[in-house]
Amino acid sequence: MSDSRGRSHPIWIVPVAVAVSAAVLIVVIVMMTGASGSTGGDATQAEDEDVSEFSDAESRDEEDLLAVGPAEAPVVLVMFTDYQCPYCAMWTDETLPAMMEHVEDDELRIEWRDVNVYGPASERSARASYAAALQGAFLDYNDALFENGRTRTEANLSEEKLIDLAESLGLDPEEFSADLKSQETADLIAANEDYAIDLGVTATPVFVMGGQPIIGGQPTRQFEAAFDNALNAAN
């Protein structure tokens, strides 16, 4: 298996590397923010009332196609994700619907950033999600890639299958195919990936809610509590 920068590794290297990166990331974030928590059922979330430097993760760019909710929303949730990440799929199925209720109330904005730690199929899928976003269908496509809280097999993340999925969602397949393969799309996805890495995000999923990090696909109640805390702080 190769990573998104073209380096070749044995197939077992990627999941091991992701697990190691996640452990290192937790330690780094705890040191940077003074967070407390565990790698198990409780989220690692900063308890300090001050917004950490992870607030830089927010773009609040009104032209950002990989986002939902008003740019001026009091709370922003940034999700660092990968389309081959099983916990990202579970979160999308179980927790995203609850978060979307806050988006509909104009209290929350959600921004997605692909890290593509699992390699070329992840990067290709990220480009596909942006191609769908260019036709106003980012959420539909994102949800379809994570249908029923599961990731697709790598064989089902080929260009042909990604285009077929777009067509099944009613998108223009020719326009989608051109955007999927365009340099502009590749540059944007690479820039998002580099930005995540610059922030120290090398595993998925990682979330930033109101400037505070949450590690892993934690239960919905944890995100609801984090949202309430961030909303109270914003008000």
Side-chain angles (χ1 to χ4, degrees):
M1 181 177 293
S2 302
D3 67 16
S4 58
R5 299 178 190 278
R7 295 186 290 268
S8 179
H9 300 299
I11 194 167
W12 55 267
I13 287 288
V14 170
V16 172
V18 170
V20 172
S21 295
V24 172
L25 179 62
I26 290 170
V27 173
V28 170
I29 289 177
V30 168
M31 292 176 65
M32 292 174 65
T33 64
S36 64
S38 73
T39 59
D42 296 327
T44 301
Q45 181 180 357
E47 293 179 347
D48 195 304
E49 292 182 358
D50 295 332
V51 174
S52 77
E53 61 189 83
F54 278 84
S55 62
D56 291 341
E58 302 174 5
S59 78
R60 292 185 179 269
D61 182 355
E62 293 182 353
E63 311 238 333
D64 186 356
L65 297 180
L66 302 178
V68 296
E72 67 278 6
V75 180
V76 176
L77 171 63
V78 184
M79 180 183 186
F80 294 97
T81 185
D82 187 301
Y83 282 114
Q84 294 186 92
C85 164
Y87 295 104
C88 300
M90 290 170 58
W91 185 89
T92 299
D93 186 58
E94 296 172 3
T95 303
L96 179 57
M99 295 297 99
M100 287 300 297
E101 293 181 14
H102 301 303
V103 171
E104 291 165 6
D105 291 336
D106 293 336
E107 294 179 329
L108 180 67
R109 173 180 174 83
I110 307 176
E111 300 174 351
W112 281 261
R113 298 292 176 260
D114 297 285
V115 189
N116 305 321
V117 293
Y118 286 85
S122 299
E123 188 270 344
R124 187 164 54 247
S125 302
R127 287 190 283 112
S129 71
Y130 185 71
L134 288 169
Q135 295 191 47
F138 166 70
L139 265 185
D140 289 341
Y141 200 85
N142 178 76
D143 291 350
L145 285 176
F146 286 146
E147 188 175 10
N148 297 322
R150 296 178 179 273
T151 58
R152 291 183 146 220
T153 64
E154 191 163 342
N156 280 316
L157 295 175
S158 66
E159 278 192 2
E160 179 183 1
K161 294 294 186 180
L162 292 168
I163 294 169
D164 287 346
L165 177 60
E167 188 169 12
S168 75
L169 294 173
L171 305 184
D172 182 323
E174 292 186 5
E175 180 182 342
F176 179 90
S177 179
D179 289 332
L180 170 64
K181 301 171 185 177
S182 78
Q183 190 60 48
E184 178 183 353
T185 297
D187 289 346
L188 182 137
I189 295 304
N192 282 344
E193 179 181 344
D194 288 343
Y195 187 58
I197 292 171
D198 287 344
L199 282 174
V201 177
T202 56
T204 56
V206 171
F207 304 86
V208 180
M209 176 86 81
Q212 304 292 348
I214 304 173
I215 308 302
Q218 302 297 332
T220 300
R221 65 178 182 276
Q222 188 71 40
F223 283 87
E224 291 286 15
F227 170 77
D228 289 340
N229 289 339
L231 185 61
N232 289 336
N235 290 334

